Amino acid sequence: MAKYDDKNKKIPIRYTSRDFNNIKKDLVSYAKRYYPDSYKDFNEASFGSLMFDTVAYTGDILSFYLDYQTNECFLDTANEYNNVVKLTRQMGYKYRGRPSTHGYVSFFILVPADSNGLQPDSKYIPILKRRTEMSSDNGENFLLTEDVDFRKAGNEVVVGRVNSSTGLPTHYIIKATGRVISGRLQQKNVNLEEFKKFNRIFIGDANISEILECTDIEGHEYYEVENLAQDVIYRDIPNSDSASRDATPMILKPFAVPRRFVVERNGGQTFMQFGYGSEEDIKIDKIVDPSNIVLDQFGRDYILNTDFDPANLLGSDKFGVSPVNTTLRIVYRSNDSDNPNAAVGSVKQIVRAIYSFEDQTNLDEGKVNDVRSSLECTNEAAIVGHANIPSTEELKIRTKSFFATQNRAVTRDDYKSLVYNMPAKFGAIKRCAILQDRDSFKRNLNMYLISENSAGNLTQSNDILKSNVKTWLNQHRMVNDTLDIMDAKIINLSINFVIVTKGGYDKFRVLDNCLRTIRARFTRHFDISEPLSYTEIYSTLNRIEGVADTSDVTVLNQNGGAYSNTMLDIGKNTTPDGRFVACPLNCVFEVKFPSIDIKGSVK
């Protein structure tokens, strides 16, 4: 605000001065102009100069934090990770924490033979229950996500032990396969007393991947939903029809959930959020019938615009029951590792096995214990997936794309955004690309996926991950869209360069700096169909201190052995101006071993 002196002269105040130097300059000018008789000592070592510096210093700090806090209010300019997560939540993107890796594990068990010795004794063939825990050689934990029935006809059965005198088998080895997911099983009990609206319970840190179970001491189960307004979930129930049981073992059914919660992640912590309903005022006796909405119009000479939400079928507006005077038993899965991948054959330790026998009370306890102790496991295929927490830039890009999709997939970017936003418990992919199938008469799309193994190299996605992606996209894709999910081909490259150093610089030290810089650049994986830029390599090398010029850069294709078998003619795929190496649309470039595949020399 402008200030007036005794002679009604307007004193201008420069509101644009916000940094230290300009604020101090304005203060000194102000004092010289309006207090020439009161203050005359403008020496740098004077007490007055200290006051000027202090005020300017304070103004500079206030201006900085004003700009900083303003920037943190917008997604494009926010820098703090927790603020970015909160802003993404406002745009509908749900931050799901650390992703998980999925794969298959083969289980082997030794079962005694029947009285004839011709087959395993079916009474001693168990079911290995879900949530059985295993671990790999590097200490990563994995959980079984489904029951493994060793009695299935498709299991492989071989003779395990033979009676030396009669030659008849005494034991059989049965092999079965089950799906596993990375993570560690944990449990927490929470005591709740007085009633609270929208009760919020702290569970643990941000490494929690999913809540597996939440029950109170009365036996009531609480279910996780996307938002508290959603009171219907879909559950799988066993198929009792013997004719279709093999092809469709489970049936998907809607299920009303008056007891529900949502999971929130904030500031590196995980919370469970409940509604504000109670047992007395919530109606759970029936699901809303659409016909009742029509009957509500009876007796009116006008029509209400009544919407019917199929995800909100309970006649309540209390957002679910809030637990009170009880103890919640919460079972959850956490991923506390930065790299929960597993190489082939590394998952071979059983941490905790959960068995189920058909009629254990009538079985020989010694034989049952022998069956339990004989369990072994191994993964015949690598368990891979991109399991790093997304950076702030990745969150911003995914949020903008997800917001534009409006929970449906129309464009190729919509499909990519939905794939990257797939819940972490279903796995995550490293790179994804969507291409129009030009050979199809319909709107067929080809989706190419690639994953990352435990060594940080690109590898093909396993069938479990691709199946999860397909199921996830089915609920969002357009009805007339068809989608084929395929593996992107990996093209391994090597890079050789020659530099000229400036006079007075140690050639070998400059060359070492160049190698470290280029190798660090190519540890970042390419996108699918992203070209390799010669110009970027030249400019990166020329900016390094001591480099006078880069005289040559050569890119070669590596294949066979430890590399992929995909071949590429570098010369034919180099653009006419020599600036880029074009990548086929269904392929991805990779410098697999930067320390070996990137070489340099100096003149």
Side-chain angles (χ1 to χ4, degrees), residues 66 85 144 149 151 200 233 375 380 467 512 567:
L66 176 62
V85 171
L144 190 62
D149 192 351
R151 295 172 296 184
R200 201 161 180 251
I233 64 172
L375 180 66
E380 299 178 354
S467 177
D512 183 64
M567 300 182 64

Side-chain angles (χ1 to χ4, degrees), residues 112-126:
D114 60 8
S115 57
N116 298 324
L118 301 179
Q119 61 182 0
D121 192 341
S122 60
K123 300 190 299 296
Y124 290 93
I125 301 178

Side-chain angles (χ1 to χ4, degrees), residues 151-162:
R151 295 172 296 184
K152 282 188 176 181
N155 293 335
E156 184 178 347
V157 181
V158 297
V159 175
R161 295 176 184 173
V162 179

Side-chain angles (χ1 to χ4, degrees), residues 421-490:
N421 193 50
M422 185 175 68
K425 63 181 179 181
F426 297 133
I429 51 97
K430 184 65 177 178
R431 292 290 184 264
C432 169
I434 311 291
L435 301 176
Q436 182 74 40
D437 191 349
R438 300 184 182 276
D439 298 328
S440 174
F441 292 103
K442 299 181 180 180
R443 297 179 56 182
N444 188 63
L445 299 174
N446 293 334
M447 174 179 288
Y448 295 94
L449 305 178
I450 202 72
S451 292
E452 185 182 53
N453 61 17
S454 57
N457 301 128
L458 297 179
T459 185
Q460 292 184 349
S461 303
N462 57 39
D463 293 337
I464 292 289
L465 187 55
K466 286 185 280 190
S467 177
N468 288 341
V469 170
K470 179 181 178 181
T471 304
W472 172 249
L473 290 177
N474 275 340
Q475 59 182 322
H476 302 287
R477 68 179 179 86
M478 304 297 287
V479 175
N480 56 343
D481 277 352
T482 58
L483 189 68
D484 293 332
I485 301 177
M486 295 174 284
D487 291 312
K489 297 179 180 180
I490 303 172

Side-chain angles (χ1 to χ4, degrees), residues 264-279:
E264 295 182 356
R265 293 174 173 85
N266 185 17
Q269 297 178 333
T270 305
F271 299 88
M272 293 173 61
Q273 175 82 59
F274 297 88
Y276 71 101
S278 62
E279 299 288 346

Side-chain angles (χ1 to χ4, degrees), residues 347-365:
V347 182
K348 54 188 177 183
Q349 287 91 28
I350 301 293
V351 178
R352 184 175 66 96
I354 307 174
Y355 297 94
S356 174
F357 291 88
E358 188 173 353
D359 188 11
Q360 188 171 344
T361 57
N362 296 324
L363 300 180
D364 184 278
E365 187 176 351

Side-chain angles (χ1 to χ4, degrees), residues 2 81 96 111 151-152 238 257 276 312 331 463-464 480 541 549:
Y81 199 86
R96 303 181 185 276
V111 178
R151 295 172 296 184
K152 282 188 176 181
V257 285
Y276 71 101
N312 188 9
V331 180
D463 293 337
I464 292 289
N480 56 343
L541 290 172
D549 189 22

